[in-house]
Amino acid sequence: MDSIPLVHNKNIVLGVCGGIAAYKVADLASKLTQAGAQVDVILTESATKFVGPVTFAAVTGRSALTTDDLWRHDQHVPHVQLGEKADLLIIAPATANTLAKLAHGQADNLLTVTALAARCPIMVVPAMDGGMWSNAATQANVSILRERGFHFVGPALGRMASGLIGEGRMVEPSEILGFARVVLGAKGPLAGRKIVVSAGGTHEAIDPVRFIGNRSSGKQGFAIAQAAIDRGAEVTLIVGAVTLPTPYGAQRIDVESAQPMCEAVVAACREADALIMAAAVADFQAAHLADHKIKKTRDTVEFEVHLTRTPDILQAVKEQKESIGKPQITIGFAAETQNLIDHALAKLHAKGLDLIVANDVSATDAGFAVDTNRVTFIGAGGGVEPLALMSKAQVAERVLDRLIKLLG
Ligand code: CTP
């Protein structure tokens, strides 16, 4: 996993309680560490019955703490130190017992005493039997904690350790990491900003089973959406035919073809500060959609599909911007296989963009489907900035840096 700039060098305290999901939290500790965080793990006594401190120390590279560390004579108020320096406290799995203690300010182990001392946001990831979760006592404790600003993630619906199906499963570590990014980024430079991002290719149907599509994987657009969330933006992600997991915190709208994508983008932009149009929109659609599957007959040797233009979404957004001033900033992409700069400049001007991100999609290490990209930024003033080959996540970071400057 790549280092995540938002998470890099952050102090994250990870409190682990006694539930079977504790074994999955070792994976979360590993993911946070790989993302660049300094992760201090605190285990409650019952957590150690499921996973030992050695496991967490091995994945974080730091010693994992238990309540015994509270009483060590060479430790000076470890709970206050941990609580003071933490950027985020995550409690996973959070048991009904620990939720009750937190709600009532009890502080009888290193985790609960650290939670009381903490000045940072606290994320709670409950996991327990469904009956324990829905119990009125637990729900009352949850309400108290929510009111105090604790961030709850889950629990999810699914199979629990008891074998029963219900609401009580801990959400998966990748989703907990996604939520942590929302919480850590909440006060970022794009806090309060609404950003629309489009991603993926569109499918233009010919008949009920066939379509015209393109090779776009959606990876660059999804990375941009995640980078915007990391900076505190409220993100609407409008997605063509792509099945990638939604970045936590994004409002996702799935569309199939260019026409509904145009309607969704224009509607979302009415309220938006910026649009980043990373989708690979088909330029042509079938003039007539066959009602039934087109059959080949013995004498069909040639077959013609009559095509008409799809709407140019950025043109539609430009017209809206001219009439209502929204979105303030528009960033487009240019997928080219020749004359990169000339073609991209022409698109920048024709579509009224503030910035265009041009990429040579014929290169094998950049563009469609791969995890890397080599792009050139061209600003409305004509400034050309070629970037080196980098991951799509890094390109996304750079696009967002430019957006923040453009928004002023
Ligand atoms: N785009 C759009 N509506 C379309 C086609 C493209 O809004 N119907 C957007 C893309 O999302 C991208 C930019 O326009 O941000 C440039 O897309 P690209 O496919 O490179 O160029 P086209 O405008 O389609 O022109 P051409 O196919 O002739 O290169």
Side-chain angles (χ1 to χ4, degrees):
M1 201 177 118
D2 281 347
S3 164
I4 300 170
L6 173 74
V7 179
H8 197 78
N9 281 337
K10 288 282 180 335
N11 293 304
I12 297 183
V13 176
L14 180 57
V16 187
C17 307
I20 181 59
Y23 82 92
K24 289 190 180 177
V25 177
D27 182 32
L28 174 64
S30 170
K31 282 188 161 64
L32 289 166
T33 306
Q34 288 175 53
Q38 276 144 27
V39 184
D40 286 305
V41 175
I42 304 174
L43 295 129
T44 63
E45 198 192 334
S46 45
T48 61
K49 312 272 191 231
F50 291 95
V51 206
V54 177
T55 303
F56 287 99
V59 294
T60 63
R62 301 163 76 81
S63 48
L65 307 169
T66 64
T67 303
D68 288 344
D69 293 285
L70 192 55
W71 305 111
R72 270 174 45 192
H73 59 82
D74 58 340
Q75 294 271 343
H76 181 60
V77 285
H79 57 292
V80 178
Q81 286 174 17
L82 285 167
E84 286 268 303
K85 74 167 190 191
D87 296 296
L88 179 65
L89 168 59
I90 305 175
I91 304 177
T95 54
N97 186 35
T98 294
L99 290 181
K101 289 182 187 179
L102 293 172
H104 298 283
Q106 269 190 352
D108 62 350
N109 62 35
L110 183 58
L111 174 57
T112 47
V113 85
T114 303
L116 269 188
R119 296 288 164 263
C120 61
I122 301 181
M123 260 174 70
V124 179
V125 193
M128 64 194 75
D129 167 70
M132 291 170 77
W133 172 250
S134 60
N135 186 289
T138 306
Q139 287 303 308
N141 292 330
V142 170
S143 298
I144 290 172
L145 293 170
R146 278 192 205 281
E147 256 171 50
R148 288 191 198 138
F150 283 56
H151 304 274
F152 276 79
V153 194
L157 193 67
R159 187 182 179 282
M160 291 166 293
S162 59
L164 297 173
I165 309 285
E167 196 182 9
R169 258 180 86 86
M170 190 180 81
V171 302
E172 294 302 319
S174 56
E175 284 186 60
I176 302 172
L177 175 61
F179 194 87
R181 292 173 82 157
V182 174
V183 175
L184 283 169
K187 293 198 173 78
L190 290 179
R193 296 285 198 175
K194 291 187 172 144
I195 312 292
V196 179
V197 181
S198 72
T202 61
H203 285 180
E204 308 302 325
I206 299 173
D207 70 15
V209 295
R210 303 185 179 94
F211 58 80
I212 301 170
N214 59 58
R215 296 182 194 282
S216 170
S217 64
K219 287 179 178 176
Q220 188 62 76
F222 274 61
I224 287 171
Q226 180 64 68
I229 291 166
D230 285 353
R231 286 159 177 76
E234 199 181 301
V235 173
T236 303
L237 178 58
I238 298 169
V239 184
V242 167
T243 52
L244 293 173
T246 312
Y248 211 98
Q251 193 212 337
R252 177 176 183 151
I253 300 173
D254 285 288
V255 293
E256 201 186 311
S257 57
Q259 182 61 44
M261 180 175 277
C262 187
E263 288 158 21
V265 168
V266 170
C269 281
R270 258 177 229 132
E271 301 286 318
D273 296 289
L275 165 67
I276 304 175
M277 191 72 199
V281 188
D283 292 320
F284 294 96
Q285 62 198 354
H288 304 288
L289 174 62
D291 290 337
H292 298 285
K293 185 184 173 201
I294 299 166
K295 305 298 286 179
K296 67 173 182 297
T297 59
R298 191 180 286 275
D299 19 283
T300 318
V301 283
E302 273 185 23
F303 177 68
E304 287 183 0
V305 183
H306 187 60
L307 300 175
T308 57
R309 284 281 302 270
T310 55
D312 189 307
I313 302 174
L314 282 173
Q315 276 297 338
V317 170
K318 182 183 172 203
E319 283 159 30
Q320 172 167 287
K321 182 178 171 177
E322 282 161 3
S323 72
I324 64 166
K326 291 270 186 179
Q328 186 189 331
I329 301 296
T330 315
I331 297 178
F333 274 69
E336 307 295 347
T337 55
Q338 56 182 351
N339 300 338
L340 184 74
I341 305 295
D342 290 347
H343 284 158
L345 254 176
K347 286 177 192 174
L348 174 96
H349 294 308
K351 296 174 192 248
L353 305 175
D354 299 283
L355 178 75
I356 195 154
V357 183
N359 63 344
D360 179 353
V361 287
S362 63
T364 52
D365 55 359
F368 291 151
V370 292
D371 289 325
T372 49
N373 216 349
R374 186 185 290 109
V375 303
T376 300
F377 287 159
I378 307 173
V384 176
E385 184 192 348
L387 304 187
L389 182 73
M390 56 181 77
S391 72
K392 287 186 172 171
Q394 287 168 324
V395 170
E397 296 286 328
R398 305 290 283 268
V399 172
L400 266 294
D401 290 346
R402 291 290 289 251
L403 173 63
I404 289 166
K405 280 198 191 127
L406 286 166
L407 283 168

